[in-house]
């Protein structure tokens, strides 16, 4: 029962966060980071 | 039935691995996929600098935004993880994470070696002396010699999440206000294995820049690989910040494990097969449970149920 209330509430908040993050340009930052070799990931940065 | 369920989970894990990493040809070319899929996060730990990857790593994405010039918190990545975690919890770890699959394969290989050794020696395949400080032997009745991580070590992943993923990228900034992705930089073995090694092999010019940082990360990778041969899901239990996030959400996730205490005959079989050292009869919703379903498939009394509802309809 607890799950049936908390999960939809969290999903609603999460959807708002994803929409807000996308609108303010976070996806562009992620795309830019992910399409270039990340020096930190490979251990050189 | 158990074998069928095991095979089903493995097939889903392999399919998820393939979905995350379809660009295998890029390994030889030493290039990364640069298409629009990269703006979406994968639910599991899969390095976005891996040549084969088409999705972004959510931990890397979070750090990239946290350490960017204009933002200090990633609503996008956190919202994504909240949504996935609220529905599936750590089932992501058990069913779709590529790095989880890799650890299972390593442990499987370790088991094979242990079995061969035990046949040769007529023993139970114990770990070499000196490793006992890291892991303790499972006191399972079958005496299989399975090892488990010392419980306090399982809290390290929460510290890593707080310090390396959330705090350092936002606090340790340069003159432009940009921070480094500290988890990727100092710890992540997935990055070293999936991106570092293949890219260094195809880009000799990068090898000339190798230094102490790479030595640190290679050392951590070696510990994780050896640890995964000895202990089931060593990295998931101790170090993974993504696992820590899903662990927090495990308590309330829609997909969950439930135990019907009236049916349970206290045989202990479930606890014996659990890869995460949980007794699902006592704590069906433990933070460590990766919802693999191994316990429910061996339960002779049908007392454990993995699903979106509590009990099976009769
Ligand atoms: S180095 Fe690790 S945390 Fe960073 S992007 Fe790669 S897989 Fe993700
Ligand atoms: S704990 Fe981390 S590495 Fe392990 S399966 Fe979960 S997300 Fe993947
Ligand atoms: S409690 Fe069951 S579902 Fe959870 S990790 Fe252990 S065996 Fe898998």
């Amino acid at each position: 029962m607890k799950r049936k209330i908390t999960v939809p509430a969290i999903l609603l908040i999460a959807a708002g966060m994803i929409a807000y993050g996308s609108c303010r340009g976070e996806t562009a930052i992620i795309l830019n980071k992910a399409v270039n070799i990340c020096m930190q990931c490979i251990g050189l940065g | 039935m158990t074998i069928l369920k095991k095979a089903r989970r493995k097939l889903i894990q392999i399919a998820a691995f393939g979905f995350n990493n379809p660009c295998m040809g890029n390994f030889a070319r030493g290039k990364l996929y640069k298409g629009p899929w990269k703006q979406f996060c994968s639910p599991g730990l899969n390095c976005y600098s891996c040549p084969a990857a088409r999705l972004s790593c959510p931990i890397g994405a979070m750090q990239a935004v946290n350490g960017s010039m204009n933002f200090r918190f990633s609503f996008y990545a956190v919202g994504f993880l909240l949504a996935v975690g609220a529905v599936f919890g750590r089932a992501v770890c058990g069913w779709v994470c590529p790095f989880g699959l890799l650890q299972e394969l390593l442990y499987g290989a370790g088991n094979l070696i242990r079995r061969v050794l035990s046949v040769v020696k007529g023993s139970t395949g114990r770990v070499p002396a000196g490793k006992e400080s890291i892991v303790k032997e499972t006191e399972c009745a079958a005496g299989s010699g399975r090892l488990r991580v010392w419980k306090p070590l399982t809290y390290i992943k929460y510290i890593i999440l707080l310090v390396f993923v959330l705090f350092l990228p936002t606090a340790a900034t340069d003159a432009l206000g940009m921070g480094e992705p500290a988890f990727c930089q100092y710890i992540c073995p997935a990055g070293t294995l999936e991106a570092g090694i293949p890219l260094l092999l195809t880009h000799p010019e990068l090898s000339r820049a190798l230094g102490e940082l790479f030595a640190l990360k290679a050392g951590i990778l070696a510990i994780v690989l050896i640890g995964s041969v000895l202990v089931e899901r060593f990295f998931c239990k101790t170090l993974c910040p993504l696992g820590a996030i899903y662990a927090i959400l495990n308590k309330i996730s829609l997909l969950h494990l439930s135990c019907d205490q009236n049916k349970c005959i206290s045989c202990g079989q479930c606890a014996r097969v659990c890869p995460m050292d949980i007794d699902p009869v006592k704590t069906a919703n433990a933070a460590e449970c990766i919802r693999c379903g191994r316990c429910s498939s061996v339960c002779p009394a049908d007392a454990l149920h993995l699903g979106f509802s509590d009990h099976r309809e009769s």
Side-chain angles (χ1 to χ4, degrees), chain A residues 41, chain B residues 45-49 57 59-60 63 183-184 188 190-191 194 217:
Chain A
C41 294
Chain B
L45 195 75
N46 194 64
C47 190
Y48 47 32
S49 280
C57 163
I59 292 294
Q63 293 171 95
F183 175 71
C184 303
C188 187
E194 296 163 9
K217 284 197 62 175

Side-chain angles (χ1 to χ4, degrees), chain B residues 257 270 273-280 283-284 288-296 304 306:
Chain B
L257 190 68
C270 50
V273 298
C274 177
M276 301 303 281
D277 312 325
I278 296 161
D279 183 347
T283 48
E288 292 299 310
C289 172
I290 56 168
R291 314 296 196 223
C292 66
R294 229 189 256 182
C295 54
S296 59
L304 291 161
L306 179 66

Side-chain angles (χ1 to χ4, degrees), chain A residues 1-13, chain B residues 86 252 254:
Chain A
M1 195 60 206
K2 204 174 71 186
R3 284 192 172 86
K4 292 203 171 117
I5 300 165
T6 39
V7 173
I10 291 176
L11 286 179
L12 218 66
I13 295 167
Chain B
I252 52 111
L254 268 191

Side-chain angles (χ1 to χ4, degrees), chain A residues 8-25:
Chain A
I10 291 176
L11 286 179
L12 218 66
I13 295 167
M17 288 172 83
I18 294 170
Y20 176 64
S22 310
C23 288
R24 69 176 193 158

Side-chain angles (χ1 to χ4, degrees), chain A residues 3 24 26 35 40-41 45, chain B residues 34 73 180 213 217 253:
Chain A
R3 284 192 172 86
R24 69 176 193 158
E26 287 182 24
V35 297
Q40 290 85 6
C41 294
Chain B
K34 290 183 184 287
F73 182 81
E180 303 282 13
L213 255 184
K217 284 197 62 175
S253 66

Side-chain angles (χ1 to χ4, degrees), chain B residues 43-45 90 92-94 97 99-100 103 233 235-236 240 242-243 246:
Chain B
L45 195 75
R90 269 190 107 173
V92 171
C93 303
C97 176
F99 208 66
Q103 290 170 80
R233 292 204 174 232
F235 176 72
C236 303
C240 182
L242 187 53
Y246 291 135

